[in-house]
PDB file of all heavy atoms in Angstrom:
ATOM      1  N   GLN B 362     -11.880  -1.163 -26.812  1.00  0.00           N
ATOM      2  CA  GLN B 362     -13.186  -1.682 -26.401  1.00  0.00           C
ATOM      3  C   GLN B 362     -14.078  -1.815 -27.618  1.00  0.00           C
ATOM      4  O   GLN B 362     -13.992  -1.018 -28.551  1.00  0.00           O
ATOM      5  CB  GLN B 362     -13.856  -0.746 -25.391  1.00  0.00           C
ATOM      6  CG  GLN B 362     -13.162  -0.691 -24.051  1.00  0.00           C
ATOM      7  CD  GLN B 362     -13.927   0.145 -23.047  1.00  0.00           C
ATOM      8  OE1 GLN B 362     -13.481   1.220 -22.626  1.00  0.00           O
ATOM      9  NE2 GLN B 362     -15.081  -0.351 -22.638  1.00  0.00           N
ATOM     10  N   ASN B 366     -20.491   1.653 -29.821  1.00  0.00           N
ATOM     11  CA  ASN B 366     -21.880   1.999 -29.521  1.00  0.00           C
ATOM     12  C   ASN B 366     -22.734   0.756 -29.641  1.00  0.00           C
ATOM     13  O   ASN B 366     -22.507  -0.063 -30.528  1.00  0.00           O
ATOM     14  CB  ASN B 366     -22.415   3.037 -30.522  1.00  0.00           C
ATOM     15  CG  ASN B 366     -22.034   4.444 -30.136  1.00  0.00           C
ATOM     16  OD1 ASN B 366     -22.570   5.009 -29.200  1.00  0.00           O
ATOM     17  ND2 ASN B 366     -21.091   4.998 -30.856  1.00  0.00           N
ATOM     18  N   VAL B 375     -26.497  -8.328 -23.649  1.00  0.00           N
ATOM     19  CA  VAL B 375     -25.414  -7.684 -24.395  1.00  0.00           C
ATOM     20  C   VAL B 375     -24.077  -8.120 -23.822  1.00  0.00           C
ATOM     21  O   VAL B 375     -23.978  -8.461 -22.632  1.00  0.00           O
ATOM     22  CB  VAL B 375     -25.492  -6.144 -24.383  1.00  0.00           C
ATOM     23  CG1 VAL B 375     -26.713  -5.649 -25.117  1.00  0.00           C
ATOM     24  CG2 VAL B 375     -25.439  -5.601 -22.966  1.00  0.00           C
ATOM     25  N   HIS B 385      -0.383  -5.798 -19.046  1.00  0.00           N
ATOM     26  CA  HIS B 385      -1.097  -5.293 -17.867  1.00  0.00           C
ATOM     27  C   HIS B 385      -1.898  -6.432 -17.247  1.00  0.00           C
ATOM     28  O   HIS B 385      -2.751  -7.027 -17.884  1.00  0.00           O
ATOM     29  CB  HIS B 385      -2.032  -4.147 -18.266  1.00  0.00           C
ATOM     30  CG  HIS B 385      -1.323  -2.847 -18.438  1.00  0.00           C
ATOM     31  ND1 HIS B 385      -2.003  -1.643 -18.549  1.00  0.00           N
ATOM     32  CD2 HIS B 385      -0.006  -2.542 -18.494  1.00  0.00           C
ATOM     33  CE1 HIS B 385      -1.123  -0.663 -18.667  1.00  0.00           C
ATOM     34  NE2 HIS B 385       0.096  -1.189 -18.651  1.00  0.00           N
ATOM     35  N   TYR B 391     -15.689   0.156 -15.319  1.00  0.00           N
ATOM     36  CA  TYR B 391     -16.430   1.259 -14.720  1.00  0.00           C
ATOM     37  C   TYR B 391     -17.610   1.587 -15.625  1.00  0.00           C
ATOM     38  O   TYR B 391     -17.640   1.198 -16.796  1.00  0.00           O
ATOM     39  CB  TYR B 391     -15.567   2.529 -14.629  1.00  0.00           C
ATOM     40  CG  TYR B 391     -14.348   2.435 -13.760  1.00  0.00           C
ATOM     41  CD1 TYR B 391     -13.132   1.965 -14.268  1.00  0.00           C
ATOM     42  CD2 TYR B 391     -14.381   2.849 -12.433  1.00  0.00           C
ATOM     43  CE1 TYR B 391     -11.997   1.899 -13.473  1.00  0.00           C
ATOM     44  CE2 TYR B 391     -13.245   2.791 -11.629  1.00  0.00           C
ATOM     45  CZ  TYR B 391     -12.064   2.316 -12.162  1.00  0.00           C
ATOM     46  OH  TYR B 391     -10.947   2.262 -11.363  1.00  0.00           O
ATOM     47  N   SER B 394     -23.214   6.641 -15.827  1.00  0.00           N
ATOM     48  CA  SER B 394     -24.598   6.910 -16.204  1.00  0.00           C
ATOM     49  C   SER B 394     -24.773   8.416 -16.331  1.00  0.00           C
ATOM     50  O   SER B 394     -23.990   9.191 -15.781  1.00  0.00           O
ATOM     51  CB  SER B 394     -25.551   6.353 -15.144  1.00  0.00           C
ATOM     52  OG  SER B 394     -25.310   4.977 -14.942  1.00  0.00           O
ATOM     53  N   PHE B 405     -10.136  -7.228 -12.230  1.00  0.00           N
ATOM     54  CA  PHE B 405      -9.477  -8.513 -12.353  1.00  0.00           C
ATOM     55  C   PHE B 405      -7.990  -8.324 -12.086  1.00  0.00           C
ATOM     56  O   PHE B 405      -7.371  -7.380 -12.580  1.00  0.00           O
ATOM     57  CB  PHE B 405      -9.646  -9.080 -13.777  1.00  0.00           C
ATOM     58  CG  PHE B 405     -11.025  -9.534 -14.085  1.00  0.00           C
ATOM     59  CD1 PHE B 405     -11.966  -8.644 -14.593  1.00  0.00           C
ATOM     60  CD2 PHE B 405     -11.396 -10.850 -13.891  1.00  0.00           C
ATOM     61  CE1 PHE B 405     -13.255  -9.055 -14.886  1.00  0.00           C
ATOM     62  CE2 PHE B 405     -12.690 -11.276 -14.193  1.00  0.00           C
ATOM     63  CZ  PHE B 405     -13.612 -10.370 -14.683  1.00  0.00           C
ATOM     64  N   SER B 409      -8.574 -13.543 -12.156  1.00  0.00           N
ATOM     65  CA  SER B 409      -9.380 -13.634 -10.942  1.00  0.00           C
ATOM     66  C   SER B 409     -10.043 -12.315 -10.603  1.00  0.00           C
ATOM     67  O   SER B 409      -9.419 -11.251 -10.655  1.00  0.00           O
ATOM     68  CB  SER B 409      -8.463 -14.074  -9.791  1.00  0.00           C
ATOM     69  OG  SER B 409      -9.136 -13.998  -8.572  1.00  0.00           O
ATOM     70  N   ALA B 410     -11.323 -12.389 -10.235  1.00  0.00           N
ATOM     71  CA  ALA B 410     -12.073 -11.203  -9.801  1.00  0.00           C
ATOM     72  C   ALA B 410     -12.443 -11.416  -8.337  1.00  0.00           C
ATOM     73  O   ALA B 410     -13.472 -12.029  -8.038  1.00  0.00           O
ATOM     74  CB  ALA B 410     -13.321 -11.011 -10.646  1.00  0.00           C
ATOM     75  N   PRO B 411     -11.614 -10.927  -7.409  1.00  0.00           N
ATOM     76  CA  PRO B 411     -11.822 -11.232  -6.001  1.00  0.00           C
ATOM     77  C   PRO B 411     -13.090 -10.630  -5.404  1.00  0.00           C
ATOM     78  O   PRO B 411     -13.611 -11.150  -4.423  1.00  0.00           O
ATOM     79  CB  PRO B 411     -10.597 -10.624  -5.322  1.00  0.00           C
ATOM     80  CG  PRO B 411      -9.616 -10.389  -6.399  1.00  0.00           C
ATOM     81  CD  PRO B 411     -10.404 -10.153  -7.651  1.00  0.00           C
ATOM     82  N   LYS B 413     -16.860  -9.039  -6.350  1.00  0.00           N
ATOM     83  CA  LYS B 413     -17.882  -8.736  -7.357  1.00  0.00           C
ATOM     84  C   LYS B 413     -18.988  -7.863  -6.790  1.00  0.00           C
ATOM     85  O   LYS B 413     -20.029  -7.687  -7.443  1.00  0.00           O
ATOM     86  CB  LYS B 413     -18.452 -10.038  -7.917  1.00  0.00           C
ATOM     87  CG  LYS B 413     -17.392 -10.899  -8.582  1.00  0.00           C
ATOM     88  CD  LYS B 413     -17.942 -12.198  -9.141  1.00  0.00           C
ATOM     89  CE  LYS B 413     -16.790 -13.002  -9.755  1.00  0.00           C
ATOM     90  NZ  LYS B 413     -17.218 -14.296 -10.300  1.00  0.00           N
ATOM     91  N   ASP B 419     -27.428  -8.973 -10.193  1.00  0.00           N
ATOM     92  CA  ASP B 419     -26.975 -10.292 -10.641  1.00  0.00           C
ATOM     93  C   ASP B 419     -27.176 -10.490 -12.142  1.00  0.00           C
ATOM     94  O   ASP B 419     -26.851 -11.541 -12.685  1.00  0.00           O
ATOM     95  CB  ASP B 419     -27.650 -11.409  -9.844  1.00  0.00           C
ATOM     96  CG  ASP B 419     -29.157 -11.359  -9.931  1.00  0.00           C
ATOM     97  OD1 ASP B 419     -29.694 -10.574 -10.751  1.00  0.00           O
ATOM     98  OD2 ASP B 419     -29.817 -12.099  -9.178  1.00  0.00           O
ATOM     99  N   PHE B 421     -25.525  -8.693 -14.122  1.00  0.00           N
ATOM    100  CA  PHE B 421     -24.201  -8.333 -14.610  1.00  0.00           C
ATOM    101  C   PHE B 421     -23.207  -9.427 -14.245  1.00  0.00           C
ATOM    102  O   PHE B 421     -23.192  -9.912 -13.107  1.00  0.00           O
ATOM    103  CB  PHE B 421     -23.726  -7.022 -13.966  1.00  0.00           C
ATOM    104  CG  PHE B 421     -24.390  -5.784 -14.486  1.00  0.00           C
ATOM    105  CD1 PHE B 421     -25.716  -5.514 -14.202  1.00  0.00           C
ATOM    106  CD2 PHE B 421     -23.687  -4.874 -15.261  1.00  0.00           C
ATOM    107  CE1 PHE B 421     -26.339  -4.366 -14.687  1.00  0.00           C
ATOM    108  CE2 PHE B 421     -24.289  -3.718 -15.737  1.00  0.00           C
ATOM    109  CZ  PHE B 421     -25.613  -3.470 -15.447  1.00  0.00           C
ATOM    110  N   SER B 431     -11.289  -9.203 -21.627  1.00  0.00           N
ATOM    111  CA  SER B 431     -12.377  -9.359 -20.666  1.00  0.00           C
ATOM    112  C   SER B 431     -13.704  -9.047 -21.351  1.00  0.00           C
ATOM    113  O   SER B 431     -13.764  -8.201 -22.256  1.00  0.00           O
ATOM    114  CB  SER B 431     -12.187  -8.413 -19.481  1.00  0.00           C
ATOM    115  OG  SER B 431     -13.287  -8.469 -18.597  1.00  0.00           O
ATOM    116  N   GLN B 439     -32.051  -3.565 -18.893  1.00  0.00           N
ATOM    117  CA  GLN B 439     -33.073  -2.611 -18.465  1.00  0.00           C
ATOM    118  C   GLN B 439     -32.643  -1.210 -18.896  1.00  0.00           C
ATOM    119  O   GLN B 439     -31.459  -0.974 -19.148  1.00  0.00           O
ATOM    120  CB  GLN B 439     -33.233  -2.655 -16.946  1.00  0.00           C
ATOM    121  CG  GLN B 439     -33.571  -4.024 -16.396  1.00  0.00           C
ATOM    122  CD  GLN B 439     -34.939  -4.481 -16.833  1.00  0.00           C
ATOM    123  OE1 GLN B 439     -35.926  -3.738 -16.734  1.00  0.00           O
ATOM    124  NE2 GLN B 439     -35.026  -5.711 -17.339  1.00  0.00           N
ATOM    125  N   GLU B 441     -32.259   1.373 -17.169  1.00  0.00           N
ATOM    126  CA  GLU B 441     -31.290   1.985 -16.250  1.00  0.00           C
ATOM    127  C   GLU B 441     -29.863   1.489 -16.485  1.00  0.00           C
ATOM    128  O   GLU B 441     -28.919   2.021 -15.898  1.00  0.00           O
ATOM    129  CB  GLU B 441     -31.679   1.753 -14.789  1.00  0.00           C
ATOM    130  CG  GLU B 441     -31.705   0.307 -14.349  1.00  0.00           C
ATOM    131  CD  GLU B 441     -33.101  -0.277 -14.367  1.00  0.00           C
ATOM    132  OE1 GLU B 441     -33.953   0.193 -15.155  1.00  0.00           O
ATOM    133  OE2 GLU B 441     -33.329  -1.228 -13.585  1.00  0.00           O
ATOM    134  N   SER B 443     -28.481   1.819 -19.340  1.00  0.00           N
ATOM    135  CA  SER B 443     -27.924   2.733 -20.339  1.00  0.00           C
ATOM    136  C   SER B 443     -26.835   3.589 -19.696  1.00  0.00           C
ATOM    137  O   SER B 443     -27.065   4.240 -18.674  1.00  0.00           O
ATOM    138  CB  SER B 443     -29.015   3.644 -20.906  1.00  0.00           C
ATOM    139  OG  SER B 443     -29.985   2.902 -21.600  1.00  0.00           O
ATOM    140  N   LEU B 447     -16.727   1.857 -19.352  1.00  0.00           N
ATOM    141  CA  LEU B 447     -15.304   2.083 -19.586  1.00  0.00           C
ATOM    142  C   LEU B 447     -14.495   0.946 -18.976  1.00  0.00           C
ATOM    143  O   LEU B 447     -14.792   0.453 -17.888  1.00  0.00           O
ATOM    144  CB  LEU B 447     -14.861   3.396 -18.948  1.00  0.00           C
ATOM    145  CG  LEU B 447     -15.269   4.672 -19.675  1.00  0.00           C
ATOM    146  CD1 LEU B 447     -15.129   5.867 -18.761  1.00  0.00           C
ATOM    147  CD2 LEU B 447     -14.420   4.884 -20.911  1.00  0.00           C
ATOM    148  N   CYS B 448     -13.464   0.573 -19.683  1.00  0.00           N
ATOM    149  CA  CYS B 448     -12.526  -0.425 -19.216  1.00  0.00           C
ATOM    150  C   CYS B 448     -11.177   0.270 -19.036  1.00  0.00           C
ATOM    151  O   CYS B 448     -10.844   1.198 -19.786  1.00  0.00           O
ATOM    152  CB  CYS B 448     -12.435  -1.538 -20.253  1.00  0.00           C
ATOM    153  SG  CYS B 448     -11.149  -2.746 -19.962  1.00  0.00           S
ATOM    154  N   SER B 450      -6.859  -0.567 -17.722  1.00  0.00           N
ATOM    155  CA  SER B 450      -5.894  -1.566 -17.290  1.00  0.00           C
ATOM    156  C   SER B 450      -4.690  -0.878 -16.655  1.00  0.00           C
ATOM    157  O   SER B 450      -4.436   0.308 -16.895  1.00  0.00           O
ATOM    158  CB  SER B 450      -5.450  -2.457 -18.464  1.00  0.00           C
ATOM    159  OG  SER B 450      -4.622  -1.757 -19.377  1.00  0.00           O
ATOM    160  N   GLY B 456       0.088  -1.365  -5.613  1.00  0.00           N
ATOM    161  CA  GLY B 456       0.846  -0.152  -5.877  1.00  0.00           C
ATOM    162  C   GLY B 456      -0.021   0.986  -6.354  1.00  0.00           C
ATOM    163  O   GLY B 456      -1.240   0.973  -6.232  1.00  0.00           O
ATOM    164  N   GLN B 460      -4.058   4.038 -14.195  1.00  0.00           N
ATOM    165  CA  GLN B 460      -4.972   3.212 -14.961  1.00  0.00           C
ATOM    166  C   GLN B 460      -5.135   3.858 -16.331  1.00  0.00           C
ATOM    167  O   GLN B 460      -5.368   5.060 -16.440  1.00  0.00           O
ATOM    168  CB  GLN B 460      -6.313   3.084 -14.244  1.00  0.00           C
ATOM    169  CG  GLN B 460      -6.187   2.327 -12.923  1.00  0.00           C
ATOM    170  CD  GLN B 460      -7.513   2.084 -12.245  1.00  0.00           C
ATOM    171  OE1 GLN B 460      -8.584   2.192 -12.851  1.00  0.00           O
ATOM    172  NE2 GLN B 460      -7.467   1.737 -10.978  1.00  0.00           N
ATOM    173  N   PHE B 462      -7.295   4.083 -19.684  1.00  0.00           N
ATOM    174  CA  PHE B 462      -8.681   3.832 -20.055  1.00  0.00           C
ATOM    175  C   PHE B 462      -8.846   3.604 -21.551  1.00  0.00           C
ATOM    176  O   PHE B 462      -8.118   4.176 -22.365  1.00  0.00           O
ATOM    177  CB  PHE B 462      -9.569   5.017 -19.651  1.00  0.00           C
ATOM    178  CG  PHE B 462      -9.902   5.039 -18.187  1.00  0.00           C
ATOM    179  CD1 PHE B 462      -9.012   5.567 -17.263  1.00  0.00           C
ATOM    180  CD2 PHE B 462     -11.109   4.513 -17.740  1.00  0.00           C
ATOM    181  CE1 PHE B 462      -9.320   5.578 -15.906  1.00  0.00           C
ATOM    182  CE2 PHE B 462     -11.424   4.534 -16.389  1.00  0.00           C
ATOM    183  CZ  PHE B 462     -10.521   5.061 -15.468  1.00  0.00           C
TER     184      PHE B 462
END
Side-chain angles (χ1 to χ4, degrees):
Chain B
Q362 292 185 247
N366 277 287
V375 294
H385 281 192
Y391 297 87
S394 304
F405 289 88
S409 172
K413 300 180 181 179
D419 58 10
F421 286 70
S431 175
Q439 303 293 312
E441 63 262 27
S443 296
L447 284 164
C448 172
S450 71
Q460 294 185 17
F462 282 82

